[in-house]
Amino acid sequence: MRSGKRGLLTAALTVLCAVTVLSAPGTAFASAAPAPTQKATPAPTPTPVPDRDLEQVRKKLDRLYHDAAVATDAYNAAEEKTKKQSAEIVALAKKIVEGRQKLEKLKDQAGAAARDQYRTGGLSSSAQFLLSDDPGQFLDGAGRVLQGQHAAKTLMDEKTRTQRDLQRYADDAADRWQQLEANRKAKAAAKKKIEKQIDAAEELQSRLEKKEKERLARLEQEAADKAQTAWLDTGALKDVHGKASEQGEKAVRYATLQLGKPYVWGAEGPDSFDCSGLTSQAWAAAGHPVPRTSQEQWKQLRHVDVKDMRPGDLVIYFSDASHVGMYIGDGAIIHAPRPGRTVTIAGAGSMPILGVVRPDA
């Protein structure tokens, strides 16, 4: 029998020391059956977890969800590569089928040419000239023979090229299959890591009382507000007056319509999103596709200074570019935060900014 709420709170703090405790929660509880002749004593009133300890819980959750976000980017990247390689394999398969059909046709033509040569007896052109009753007619025929020989050579060259192409297509397809298998393994590894981090975070939160979860939520909001205030105090927005482009307005409109939809890792709509799923779909809806992951968005899109940003630009967060939101003006972004949250509006400076990129530069 579980000892009571005090044991639950003790376990919530113990969990901060090692992830292994999360996988064996039973060790955090004591079992004490009352003596048969004694009346069970009421459970002790739980001792509230101090805010300083809840702050440690908040930081632990941030680390777990950050690691899950990094793994999600890896999963999404592997998924994109898998889609591309699958399409390439299909295209190569079509080329192989067409090449084989062409090769069969060339073989038929070569066979017909060989049969024609057989019908002439295989004599040399000199012998045919000497044996001919009409040398003039032979010379006319000789011209046609030369044309035939040229056609036969062209036919054999084409056949050789086709065979060479078929071999190249087959080799390319084999390479794509190997890459596809490697990316499938990468996806599986990333998925396992994502689920591990999210399970650990949910386990940690499940050990808190309702009031403690509410206090934890307030601490999270206070931390975000503090970071936003500190960012604004730097004067970062003093010279930010950029106006959205036509495509930027469309992207912001799309993102705004997704407010309240749940975060789901690997999702890109229409009912749920992860962070880069939201931004990539918003810009696709605006008619300007962008890379699928926040890391590739950071690598491939044009970087702009914070002072030059405008609505529709993408704000990339953390040193590893593991999160992204869309700037909507007035120092705010729309983003899909993390598991257990929904698409929402937040301060652009509420997380460590790596930089800003512009899809339609």
Side-chain angles (χ1 to χ4, degrees), residues 202-256:
E202 290 176 347
E203 174 72 9
L204 178 56
Q205 293 176 94
S206 73
R207 294 174 177 271
L208 299 175
E209 298 291 331
K210 180 180 178 182
K211 290 183 178 180
E212 290 163 347
K213 291 179 181 178
E214 293 172 351
R215 285 165 49 213
L216 178 62
R218 288 196 297 271
L219 286 175
E220 291 175 346
Q221 188 58 53
E222 287 170 7
D225 291 344
K226 182 179 179 180
Q228 174 74 353
T229 299
W231 180 65
L232 293 175
D233 287 346
T234 65
L237 287 182
K238 183 178 63 174
D239 298 320
V240 176
H241 305 293
K243 183 180 179 182
S245 65
E246 182 179 351
Q247 286 184 314
E249 288 180 351
K250 291 179 180 178
V252 170
R253 190 177 307 120
Y254 178 94
T256 302

Side-chain angles (χ1 to χ4, degrees), residues 11 35 64 119 124 160 348:
L64 289 170
R119 282 194 294 270
S124 68
T160 300

Side-chain angles (χ1 to χ4, degrees), residues 155-167:
L155 178 66
M156 296 309 296
D157 289 345
E158 181 67 14
K159 182 180 175 183
T160 300
R161 280 195 300 272
T162 301
Q163 289 174 322
R164 194 163 51 236
D165 289 344
L166 278 172
Q167 186 61 52

Side-chain angles (χ1 to χ4, degrees), residues 113 116 141-155:
D116 286 342
R144 290 192 294 273
V145 169
L146 289 174
Q147 291 175 351
Q149 290 174 342
H150 177 72
K153 184 178 183 304
T154 300
L155 178 66

